[in-house]
Amino acid sequence: MPDDINFVAILVACLGTGGLGLFAREIADIVSKVRRGVSTRETNRRNDIIGQRDAALARAADQEKRADHEREKRIAWQEHAGRLTFQLRVNGVHPDPLPDGVEDTYNPRKQD
């Protein structure tokens, strides 16, 4: 072993390098945690938006189903009223005139 080797300098250099390595690893760990935190927030936000979209689509489907049901009921009542009107006319009873603003499809008024 040569006599001109300074063990103290080598020891200080090794400890310094190890300290820098540890410091760099800690910095990388902090950066990783920060990125995961941001990523987690973005993921949560995306999941919230997806949930809101799905809820809105479900509400729209429910409203469409309700509107279809109301339309079917309205058509059924119109058909029933038509049958009753027909029975009245067959039996010689003429229904009262329609209220203002309601179109009479049997006797439409001529537009001037």
Side-chain angles (χ1 to χ4, degrees), residues 8-30:
V8 174
I10 293 174
L11 183 62
V12 169
C14 288
L15 291 176
T17 304
L20 288 177
L22 182 63
F23 178 73
R25 190 176 68 190
E26 287 298 320
I27 293 294
D29 188 43
I30 291 170

Side-chain angles (χ1 to χ4, degrees), residues 31-45:
V31 169
S32 174
K33 286 179 182 177
V34 168
R35 292 185 116 197
R36 275 191 307 227
V38 171
S39 177
T40 301
R41 280 181 286 190
E42 289 173 354
T43 300
N44 290 343
R45 184 169 181 264

